[in-house]
Amino acid sequence: MCRDVDGSTYRLEMGRLTTSTSVMGGGWLVWLVDLTSEVAIEAQRASMLSFLSHDMKAPQTRALALIDAQQEPENALPEASFYEQVELSLRMSLGMINDFIGLTRAKSFRFEHDFILLEDLVMEVLDQVRPLACSKRIEVSSEFNHEDGAPVLGDKGYLARAVFNLIENALKYGRENGRVQVCVSADEQWATLEVIDDGVGIADSDIERIFEDFQRSDSANIAKGHGLGLALVKAVAEKHGGSIVCKSKLGEGSHFTLSLPACPLD
């Protein structure tokens, strides 16, 4: 197999030139078979199997280990701590399952296109993430710069999930006592959500792949996600005719920009 400068994968094949009655002396036919889609599908399949066999099993295995240890007096945790740890593992597992289902549906589901004010949706999500922000003592500031509320046409449930994932991601990777900025703006073409944190940041080599299925940044060895949240954001953005981009510098935070087609009011 070989690759071209654009990253496409090919298999080189060749055979003798022949007619119906004879072989043409010294003649060979050489051609390339495009395997790009097959290679991409196989890579995604391998990543998904790794996710199912490792990431998704890990919290369930941990819960079972806690239960086994709890039956041995010398290893048992205090009852309150035991239930807390088991609940944490089970909630993590359930979150992975929900994200996996959500991503799969986001890629194949036919979205509704209702009239939505992006500013209202973002404010609802900010209320949901407030407990996480408080637990890490992160200041969340919001800025809304459109007098009409930044209207868009879209599926409210999926857009809310995408916005939630972006802001939650900023809080999870943000530093304690840090700051997260959430800004909504719009012009004639686009309604835009910007989420800016001052956390660990993302290495240049990771930025391109953080939106791929089952991928995540391992910057500073503190990866806490399971590689589905940002993939879902990308799937939802693209289904709505929009985009998601990230600018980041390791150790200095990240700046995510979600752009959606604006909906004219007249």
Side-chain angles (χ1 to χ4, degrees):
M1 290 193 297
C2 57
R3 289 188 176 182
D4 63 15
V5 294
D6 296 322
S8 298
T9 303
Y10 301 91
R11 182 176 66 236
L12 180 67
E13 296 187 356
M14 61 188 300
R16 285 185 179 277
L17 282 175
T18 64
T19 67
S20 58
T21 59
S22 63
V23 176
M24 299 177 66
W28 290 85
L29 181 63
V30 180
W31 66 94
L32 294 172
V33 179
D34 190 347
L35 300 177
T36 305
S37 59
E38 288 85 348
V39 171
I41 290 171
E42 181 58 31
Q44 186 178 45
R45 176 178 174 274
S47 295
M48 184 177 70
L49 287 175
S50 175
F51 167 74
L52 293 173
S53 63
H54 180 265
D55 293 65
M56 193 173 282
K57 284 175 62 177
Q60 299 174 56
T61 301
R62 182 171 183 270
L64 290 173
L66 286 166
I67 292 171
D68 288 341
Q70 197 68 12
Q71 298 177 41
E72 302 174 4
E74 65 275 16
N75 296 321
L77 295 172
E79 186 172 310
S81 179
F82 167 71
Y83 285 121
E84 180 183 354
Q85 292 298 317
V86 170
E87 180 185 8
L88 179 64
S89 296
L90 294 178
R91 288 189 180 278
M92 183 182 297
S93 178
L94 183 60
M96 289 184 185
I97 293 170
N98 288 336
D99 281 348
F100 180 77
I101 294 172
L103 176 59
T104 302
R105 287 179 174 173
K107 289 187 171 185
S108 59
F109 190 75
R110 184 172 181 176
F111 287 171
E112 298 293 333
H113 284 82
D114 298 321
F115 180 84
I116 298 168
L117 294 180
L118 184 59
E119 288 188 356
D120 289 351
L121 187 147
V122 170
M123 285 190 284
E124 291 178 13
V125 172
L126 287 173
D127 287 338
Q128 297 173 28
V129 300
R130 201 171 305 281
L132 177 59
C134 291
S135 69
K136 295 190 66 175
R137 297 184 292 278
I138 293 177
E139 177 189 352
V140 179
S141 63
S142 57
E143 185 177 341
F144 302 103
N145 296 321
H146 196 269
E147 60 183 10
D148 294 321
V152 298
L153 289 177
D155 187 295
K156 184 176 180 180
Y158 278 101
L159 285 176
R161 184 66 192 215
V163 171
F164 179 89
N165 285 359
L166 279 179
I167 299 176
E168 183 194 41
N169 191 72
L171 293 171
K172 285 197 302 184
Y173 289 93
R175 58 183 178 85
E176 289 201 9
N177 300 306
R179 185 181 182 192
V180 169
Q181 298 171 266
V182 178
C183 307
V184 177
S185 59
D187 57 27
E188 292 182 355
Q189 289 186 303
W190 302 100
T192 303
L193 166 67
E194 297 176 85
V195 180
I196 308 164
D197 67 72
D198 57 0
V200 298
I202 303 168
D204 290 341
S205 59
D206 287 339
I207 287 180
E208 290 300 321
R209 67 186 186 92
I210 58 173
F211 296 108
E212 298 174 8
D213 300 357
F214 315 111
Q215 299 293 329
R216 61 186 175 190
S217 170
D218 291 320
S219 301
N221 296 316
I222 61 169
K224 301 173 185 177
H226 41 269
L228 294 177
L230 292 179
L232 185 142
V233 174
K234 180 182 179 183
V236 171
E238 291 179 347
K239 281 279 191 174
H240 284 82
S243 64
I244 175 71
V245 296
C246 173
K247 295 180 181 179
S248 185
K249 190 170 183 179
L250 197 59
E252 297 184 13
S254 302
H255 184 159
F256 287 87
T257 303
L258 172 66
S259 299
L260 301 168
C263 174
L265 293 178
D266 48 13

